[in-house]
Amino acid sequence: MLSQLSPAIRQYLVVTGNYWAFTLTDGALRMLVVLHFYSLGYDALSIAMLFLFYEFFGVVTNLVGGWLGARIGLNKTMNIGLLLQVLALSMLLLPAEYLIVPWVMAAQALSGIAKDLNKMSAKSSIKLLVADAEQSTLYKWVAILTGSKNALKGVGFFIGGLLLALIGFWWAIFTMAALLSLIWLLSIKLLKRDLGKSKAKPKFRDMLSKSRAINLLSAARMCLFAARDVWFVVALPLFLASQFDWDHWQVGGFLALWVIGYGFVQSQAPHLTGKANNRTPDGKQAVLWALLLCGLPAAIALSIELNWQVGPMLIGGLLLFGAVFAINSSLHSYLIVSYAGRDGVSLDVGFYYMANAMGRLIGTVLSGWLYLHAGLEACLWVSSAFLVATVLISLALPKHHSALSSG
């Protein structure tokens, strides 16, 4: 059946399959670590800090990974990412008494490197599998890949909890490592060699983007993701557990469903931002959708400060925030692939996702610190400030309309 498809479609399916398999293990591993260390008596803030290196190394990996992908090919960086995730999982197969915090943080750091190598390779590959004239197809493929990734990460949360309940931590980790090893072997055989390899060997200094549009989009992306993670990563789970008296499974299940819904909306972004008026999105749409987000965290913060309908405002606001944020994220993901040059595409995409990882890192650190000292409402006000910065930066993005091509 695969032989009847075009080479580009076959490669897209291999890339997407790799990304999906990795994402399931990424989500499951996060939930396994959270639940396992929670059962050992760690509080939520301490557990969140286990992922600090995961986010930090995302910054470094995206920058260096883009350069590496341009030099050795995206097939190799994707396969290296899969192998590193297998190694990260294997690090957690030690007896429980050896799973001390520094060791788990090191495993999470390796997993963070693996995740960003895999993501950068997948997003960059799509640029090379779609003709420049087929912008509609490019937007659709990027949206499907991005949306499905987040939906599957939510599914991974459920799988992690289920495996922990059914077979325990060690066997859950072993099962994922074994299955991902098979995926890695298949990827080595099926993925096109030298995909994304630059014709001219890029120098190390070429990691920094020279494109004004990409620099602006990267800065907007950093502020956008800091605005989400400053209240979502640490503060929100703690608030739900302490103020709403939700148990561990309710918090994890709700956040998993939120991520799945978020991913579904991302996959529908082309229908909401492009095809209705037969245009691909540009800087103008980036400003509009970021502007729609600005007031939501502030409205939730006011309801908490005034103690007015806190439950409905928080849950309803979170759902609305997730939907609008998903459109913003998918739109940005299309714009970076569209802006990036075909030769050495991973350099531009890697630089952009470096900014994405930096935003997540800033948001994660601020989320714990602000919640500890000033509560969830402070996190929400800072979120709105980051979103205002996103709007202001996005005002300078290129504004042009290109008619959608068929496909």
Side-chain angles (χ1 to χ4, degrees), residues 79-91:
N79 290 331
I80 289 170
L82 289 170
L83 178 60
L84 289 179
Q85 182 74 340
V86 172
L87 294 176
L89 289 165
S90 301
M91 287 177 67

Side-chain angles (χ1 to χ4, degrees), residues 2 23 75 84 98 121 124 143 150 225 261 278 296 318 324 342 403:
L2 279 176
T23 299
N75 62 311
L84 289 179
Y98 294 107
S121 303
S124 300
N150 284 298
F225 270 75
N278 201 36
L296 290 175
L318 176 63
V324 181
R342 292 185 75 86

Side-chain angles (χ1 to χ4, degrees), residues 139 264-277 285 289 323 327:
Y139 191 16
F264 174 77
V265 174
Q266 275 189 314
S267 67
Q268 300 303 307
H271 301 287
L272 299 171
T273 63
K275 291 189 175 180
N277 57 3
Q285 279 72 41
W289 285 98
I327 300 296

Side-chain angles (χ1 to χ4, degrees), residues 302-335:
L302 277 174
S303 76
I304 295 173
E305 290 180 355
L306 299 174
N307 197 26
W308 179 78
Q309 298 292 322
V310 175
M313 283 292 292
L314 179 60
I315 302 303
L318 176 63
L319 295 175
L320 187 57
F321 182 92
V324 181
F325 186 91
I327 300 296
N328 276 275
S329 177
S330 193
L331 194 153
H332 279 196
S333 293
Y334 160 72
L335 288 176

Side-chain angles (χ1 to χ4, degrees), residues 29 80-93 103 106-108 110-111 114 173 177 180-181 184:
L29 178 59
I80 289 170
L82 289 170
L83 178 60
L84 289 179
Q85 182 74 340
V86 172
L87 294 176
L89 289 165
S90 301
M91 287 177 67
L92 300 176
L93 291 175
W103 183 259
Q108 286 299 308
L110 196 60
S111 180
I173 296 293
L180 200 61
S181 297
W184 172 64

Side-chain angles (χ1 to χ4, degrees), residues 114-370:
K115 184 262 292 184
D116 283 296
L117 275 178
N118 195 267
K119 180 170 70 173
M120 179 277 300
S121 303
K123 296 289 180 71
S124 300
S125 298
I126 293 179
K127 174 77 174 184
L128 304 172
L129 300 176
V130 181
D132 286 335
E134 297 287 336
Q135 290 298 301
S136 172
T137 301
L138 180 64
Y139 191 16
K140 181 172 66 177
W141 283 19
V142 169
I144 291 171
L145 187 73
T146 303
S148 63
K149 183 267 291 186
N150 284 298
L152 284 171
K153 190 161 188 175
V155 174
F157 290 166
F158 285 123
I159 291 175
L162 182 64
L163 288 175
L164 188 63
L166 293 178
I167 59 178
F169 182 79
W170 192 93
W171 280 107
I173 296 293
F174 177 81
T175 301
M176 291 197 301
L179 291 175
L180 200 61
S181 297
L182 292 177
I183 298 293
W184 172 64
L185 292 173
L186 283 173
S187 179
I188 290 175
K189 181 179 180 181
L190 297 175
L191 201 58
K192 181 181 174 183
R193 292 174 183 170
D194 298 332
L195 181 67
K197 193 172 183 178
S198 178
K199 295 173 184 175
K201 293 289 185 183
K203 296 179 173 60
F204 202 68
R205 64 173 180 268
D206 292 333
M207 290 188 301
L208 301 179
S209 176
K210 301 177 181 66
S211 163
R212 181 174 183 270
I214 290 173
N215 288 335
L216 287 168
L217 184 63
S218 298
R221 183 76 169 192
M222 182 180 73
C223 293
L224 181 71
F225 270 75
R228 183 195 68 176
D229 287 4
V230 73
W231 67 288
F232 185 78
V233 172
V234 177
L236 180 64
L238 287 174
F239 188 86
L240 292 173
S242 62
Q243 301 301 313
F244 290 2
D245 201 27
W246 286 12
D247 64 29
H248 191 75
W249 289 99
Q250 286 175 304
V251 173
F254 175 74
L255 295 182
L257 288 172
W258 186 87
V259 173
I260 292 171
Y262 165 84
F264 174 77
V265 174
Q266 275 189 314
S267 67
Q268 300 303 307
H271 301 287
L272 299 171
T273 63
K275 291 189 175 180
N277 57 3
N278 201 36
R279 301 284 177 180
T280 49
D282 60 6
K284 188 180 294 183
Q285 279 72 41
V287 172
L288 172 64
W289 285 98
L291 196 59
L292 291 174
L293 265 182
C294 285
L296 290 175
I300 301 170
L302 277 174
S303 76
I304 295 173
E305 290 180 355
L306 299 174
N307 197 26
W308 179 78
Q309 298 292 322
V310 175
M313 283 292 292
L314 179 60
I315 302 303
L318 176 63
L319 295 175
L320 187 57
F321 182 92
V324 181
F325 186 91
I327 300 296
N328 276 275
S329 177
S330 193
L331 194 153
H332 279 196
S333 293
Y334 160 72
L335 288 176
I336 181 56
V337 177
S338 180
Y339 290 165
R342 292 185 75 86
D343 189 35
V345 57
S346 62
L347 287 168
D348 291 333
V349 175
F351 178 80
Y352 165 82
Y353 278 109
M354 177 274 294
N356 183 101
M358 180 66 77
R360 289 172 57 105
L361 177 62
I362 292 168
T364 297
V365 174
L366 283 178
S367 187
W369 186 80
L370 285 170

